[in-house]
Amino acid sequence: MRHNKKFNHLGRTADHRHAMLANMAISLIMHKRITTTVAKAKELKKYVEPLITKAKEDSTNSRRVVFSYLQNKDAIKELFGPVAEKVGNRPGGYTRIIKLGFRQGDAAQICFIELVDFDPEMAKTETKKKATRRSRRSGSKAEAPAQEAPAAEAPAAAEAPAAE
């Protein structure tokens, strides 16, 4: 019986699963983004986020604890160096999963998992949010000219580059 065994076994034995998650965590730390299936990414997120939290406190004990999971000196240096510096003030949520679609061969759902603070393109799009006021009412008389004005400016903008 599997009472209270909530985590995904991923169709592997325990040793195989631990080795796979450790290898994926090392790859994520070294490359900052990896592509995998959604099920593996969700399990990797549970595996790697506590390690990143441990890395925020750079002590001998925390290095030993993280090394017992990863077994890779280069990954430990990277984790306690640049990664810990970037996530030092973040309270959690160090990784992001973005779904990409389905794999051609077996139709498995594919995604990439990345460290949040290491994607400059995503940081740019988050700062460009506009605060627009939306209402459920139909357009009032004051809003009607405002909607016509951008339409009038659009042809003028299209003519300007042609003149140059």
Side-chain angles (χ1 to χ4, degrees), residues 89-130:
N89 57 356
R90 183 178 283 274
Y94 311 113
T95 58
R96 172 189 302 128
I97 296 174
I98 298 178
K99 295 177 182 176
L100 300 175
F102 296 93
R103 189 161 50 197
Q104 184 70 32
D106 60 354
Q109 197 171 10
I110 296 296
C111 67
F112 62 77
I113 181 169
E114 65 181 358
L115 295 176
V116 171
D117 294 324
F118 287 90
D119 189 9
E121 288 82 26
M122 192 64 78
K124 290 178 186 174
T125 58
E126 290 175 3
T127 58
K128 291 184 179 179
K129 291 181 182 175
K130 291 185 178 180

Side-chain angles (χ1 to χ4, degrees), residues 45-144:
K45 186 172 191 159
K46 289 187 223 174
Y47 186 86
V48 79
E49 291 212 0
L51 299 181
I52 297 173
T53 303
K54 276 277 192 206
K56 289 164 77 172
E57 180 195 348
D58 191 4
S59 66
T60 305
N61 184 53
S62 62
R63 281 181 178 264
R64 286 177 177 168
V65 169
V66 173
F67 186 77
S68 71
Y69 284 93
L70 297 183
Q71 300 289 318
N72 187 320
K73 289 182 183 179
D74 296 329
I76 299 296
K77 287 178 189 172
E78 185 75 17
L79 180 61
F80 281 86
V83 175
E85 289 173 12
K86 286 232 180 174
V87 301
N89 57 356
R90 183 178 283 274
Y94 311 113
T95 58
R96 172 189 302 128
I97 296 174
I98 298 178
K99 295 177 182 176
L100 300 175
F102 296 93
R103 189 161 50 197
Q104 184 70 32
D106 60 354
Q109 197 171 10
I110 296 296
C111 67
F112 62 77
I113 181 169
E114 65 181 358
L115 295 176
V116 171
D117 294 324
F118 287 90
D119 189 9
E121 288 82 26
M122 192 64 78
K124 290 178 186 174
T125 58
E126 290 175 3
T127 58
K128 291 184 179 179
K129 291 181 182 175
K130 291 185 178 180
T132 58
R133 185 176 168 270
R134 309 249 173 162
S135 69
R136 291 184 168 192
R137 292 184 189 169
S138 61
S140 65
K141 293 179 184 177
E143 292 177 355

Side-chain angles (χ1 to χ4, degrees), residues 10-25:
L10 299 172
R12 289 161 170 80
T13 61
D15 289 337
H16 186 186
R17 188 171 53 253
H18 291 305
M20 181 191 67
L21 289 173
N23 287 333
M24 290 175 69

